Each structure stands twice: as C-alpha cells, then as structure tokens.
Amino acid sequence: MKRSRKVYLLFLWFFSVSAIAQINTDRMMLMGRNALYYEDYVLSIRRFNMVISAKPYLSEPYFYRGLAKFYLEDYTGAEEDCGTAIDRNPFLPDNYRLRGLCRINLKRYDEAVSDYMKLLEIEPKDESGWHNMTLCYLQLKEYDKAVECIDRMLGYWPQKASLYTLKAQTYFAQKDTVAAMANIGRALEINPYEGQAWSMRAAVHAGRGEYKLAEEALDKTIQQMPREAGHYINRALARYHQRNLRGAMTDYDTALEMDSTNYIGHFNRGLLRAQVGDDNRAIEDFNFVLKLEPDNMIALFNRALMLNNTGDYRGAIRDINAVIKEFPNFLAGYQLRAEVRRKMGDTRGAELDEFKVLKAQMDQRYGGKKPQNTKQTRKVSDRTMEDYNKLVEADTSEDESPTYESEYRGKVQNRRTELAPEPALVLTYYTGQSDFQRKMYNKELERLNRLGVLPARLVLTHDEVSLDEARIQKHFSSIQALSDKIARQPDNTLLYLARSIDEYLVQDFEKALADIDHAIKLDSSYLLAYYMRVQIRMKNQEVRMAEKSETPSKGEAKWTFDTSRSEYQAALDDCDRILAREPDFAGCYYNKGNIYMQLKLWPEAIKAYTQAIKLHADYAEAYYNRGVAYILSGDYASGIPDLSRAGEMGLYKAYNLIKRYRDKAATKVE
C-alpha cells in the first residue's frame, strides 16, 4: 500500500512539474519577446536559452534568439540559430528572411540569394526579399539576373518609382548611362520627389561637366533628403566648378554640421579657406584631416603653406621635411622650403633647395615634360603630390553602400524619420543621458521618494533605457527580497508597488500587473499605483499590438496573440481616476494622448495633448505628438507649427517631419 502511494505521489509530482514547465515555457517566450521588443537583448537571449533547454525541438525560440544576436551584430551566431530553426520548421519565411540578412552582413551574397529564393517560394510578393536579392546580384556582378528581379517587382508594383531608380543603379554598374538615365526619367515621372533618382541624375551631369544642371538636380535631392551630408559635399563641388565659392563654403559648413568627421568636407573647406585668405581656420581643417590620417602628405603640405602664411616657420619646415622625405622629387616642396628658409635667414639652405628645383626644371625641359592633369579636382584615392591644391571628390568605389531592407530593425527601434509619437511618460529608476532633459516633477512621486523605501530614486521620464546584465540581475534579486518581505508584511502597499516596478523592468508584465492590482486593492486612493498600472497596461498592449502588426506582405498574421483593445480602455479609465484626484497632472493627459494614438483616435489624442500643453507650456513631447496626430489626421497645416515648436525646444528630429510635410501643408492652406 505504501509503495503504491509513493508511486502515485511521484506521478502527481511529475505531472505537476511537467505542467509548470509547460506554463513556464510559454511565459519565457512571452517575456523574451517583451525584452527583445524593448532592446534588452541580453535578457531576451537568457529567456530563449531557457526555452531551448526545455524544448529543443521548437523552431520559434531559435529564430528569436537569432534575432537578438543579429541586433548585437553577432551575424555568425544568428545565422547558425536561423539554420537550426529552419531544420525544425522549413516553412516559416522569417527564418530565411533573417538568415539572408545575416549572410549579407557576412558578405556571402550567393548564399543569401539562395535564402531569398526559398523565401520567395513561400511568399512570392515579399518586396524586401526581391529588393535584397537584387542587391545581392549587383554585388555578385550578375547584372542580367538583377534586371530580371527588378522586372518581376515591376510586374507586382508597376508604379513604384524606387524600382526604376534601382534599375538605373543596375545599368550604371554596367556603364550603360543611356539606359540608366531613361530609368531615372521614368522614376521621376512617377514620383518627382524621388530623392535618390535626382542624386543619380546629378552625378551624370557632373560627370559630363554640366555643373549647373548638376547643382539643380542636387537642389531637388536635398529637398527630399536634407540630412545626408554627402549631397551637400557634391553640391559644393558643383558650385566650386561654377566659381561660386561662397555657396560651396556654405555647403561644406552644412555638411560638417551633420557629419563632423567627413574627410572630404574638411579637406575641401580647408582649400577654400586658403583661397580666400582665411589661413588660421584653414589650418584647423587640415589639422582635423591629419588627426584622421596622420600620413596624409597632401594635407600636410597644405598645412605647411598656411603655417608659412601665418608666420609659423618652424612648423612649416617640420611639415615640409616630412613631405620631402616621403616624396623626394616633389619640386613644390623644395620651392616652399627655400622660401621659408630665406625668411628664417637660412640663405645657404634656401640656395640648395633652389638649385635642386632649377636642376629638375632643366631636366624636364630637355628630357621631355610630363603631361599635366588639367582636371580641377582629384579622387580621394589619388595621392599625387602635384595635385595638392585640387579639391577632392569621392571615388567611384565610394558610392553609397546598397541599402538592404529589413522589417525587423524598424519594428524594434524607431527610425529617425518615422512618423510616430514620442514614448509614454513612465515611472522608472533609470533615464537616458541625452542632451534633451525629459524628467517631470510630480508631488506624489516626491513624497514617495522622501520616504526612502525604494532602492533608488524613482523618476518620471520619456527617456526610458534598457537594462544591462548587472541591472537585470539586481532586479531579480530585489524581487526575491521583496517577496520575503511581503510574506512577513502582506498588507504593505509600498512593497507590492516596489515589486511591481522590478517586474516591469525585467519585462514580466503579467506579474507586475498582478502586484499593482493587489496594491490598489489594499489602498484604492494611492494615485501612483494607478499610474503604474496605466504604464504596465500600455507597455504590455504595445508589445502585443506591435507583434500582431508585424506581418508578411500577404497580410497574414505571423503570431496569434489576443490583441483586444480592452487593456487600453482600462488604462484610460485609470487615467480618469488619477485626473479626478489630480487634475493638473500634465503627464497623465500626455499618456491618454498616447493611448488614443495607439487606437488611431486622432481627435481625442489631439484634445489630450492640448490639455497637457495647457498645464505644461514647455512640454516638447506633447507638441511633437500633437503635431504627429495632426499629420496623421490629414491636417498638415496645424501639425507643422507644433513640430516647429517641439524642434525649437530641443526635439530636433521634428525638423525631418517638417521637411517631409511642408509642401502638403502649403497645399492644404491654398
């Protein structure tokens, strides 16, 4: 009897453990995706490792672990995980899509092509797959296959201007300028705002010496792509060839404001400054070039010229000696050194240098003079010392790298020009180190911080940051410690709040919500608990909605999560409870606006942001989000001023949206 009872108990124990393992596996997958969505890659890998240990036969955890590794730029590890996922389920397109990107980053283009072929067998209209496979063929110099891919895409999307631009790029690679220009023309017929097409047209005009036409094309390019320094560098060269030195200088200044480490920008601006007699600032530019490239003899010689002009003769001699040591037949170097030596009183040294120059000139006259390069510019790779006073233009090989399309990165990280609202205002212990200060004062929060019951100072911020491994471990330890305290003090509201915050920070929203619900049950008047519950519900639902919206081109959902919007309505109800007690809480109105944005209720969002701005006149994020809401609702004229106000207060990315929608705003006004 005892033996049978033991067997029965053992069976119950095994069944219970198995059930718990099943539940924990599902939870770990959910928490891992939460961490992945919020860029906590280390934490997400840990979660997926646990799932893989429990159920190594599943495909999904290998894919997600590979995705986390991809973001950490471990392309080899990510490729391996994708391969394992494919072994377990060869019919999921995401595995091929991600492995293709890994192989592209590893420069194994032929293998990437094979992945995209498998992807397109499953999803024939996957646009990013066709696009990336085309660029792989370009890298492999298989131009006919690249054109075939583009023609297939045009069969699916005949009015997509960027496809004609891509086709033009393919013909340029084959040196077929006529066909390339025809495709550029077609792209601009479909979409006159296709910036890349204007850039290509400018390059053709510049190559033909048609600098006025090149400048006009670059004007169009910059209107559509205003934050790319290379376009200003190119326009500066076009202006320089037309002797518009002032315009060229302005473009170099603008380019270097955007990209302060641009070699071409500093070198060319240094030459222009030298031409107009701004010697000291020219020296600054050449100093910068030499910091990047200490062995750049052309920059060193140009600095020597400027040092001579400003009276730093020792510095000039130092630089000239280094150049002559590297290029012993460089006559301009001896001429300059002779000039500097005379100024320093070294007559004998100057005469020796002058004799060296005279002898070389005689040899050239009677021995046959080498033809001179009459071009006004030189390539970056051309280090001929005789071209020391020529402006630099990019090598043909230095054209922009192909832009491979990835739906993953855009889902996890906000792109600079994305038309999307700023993040919610959240309670956290951590905030970013950005120049734009995003903390907000709240009297209830100050009272809580003064109590000293929390492990660190809690702040309200829009600039939430991801946790590193040390912080993750710290909060897991804190959860355990708080659980022990709660066991001894089950009616302590603050302990439940503290544990909820920890659970939120490690992306366990389910437990965080349960704890904050219990805190509110203990004290229904505690406003910060309601605020924390709003925050948890918003983040939890945001992840669910984002995962649901991450669909392939066919429009079929890849994951099956409950994306019911009832959580958002519950969050709105909590916001109303808070505002009934604290009607001047601007951050609560702001979060209401963000909830309405998620629900695509633009008028309600605009009203909420307007109320937040009334209470907090310098609320940059509220202006920015209201501007976004106006644009999404089609009211461009109202959105532009709000974005301008946000940019004025430090949210500089607002200017990108202003550039994109200014023309539409003007049309609406008319």
Side-chain angles (χ1 to χ4, degrees), residues 107 172 363:
K107 302 188 185 304
F172 274 130
D363 290 342

Side-chain angles (χ1 to χ4, degrees), residues 593-613:
N594 274 31
I595 294 169
Y596 286 129
M597 291 287 276
Q598 289 293 332
L599 296 171
K600 299 184 180 181
L601 298 173
W602 317 129
E604 288 82 355
I606 289 166
K607 288 178 185 176
Y609 293 133
T610 300
Q611 191 61 38
I613 290 166

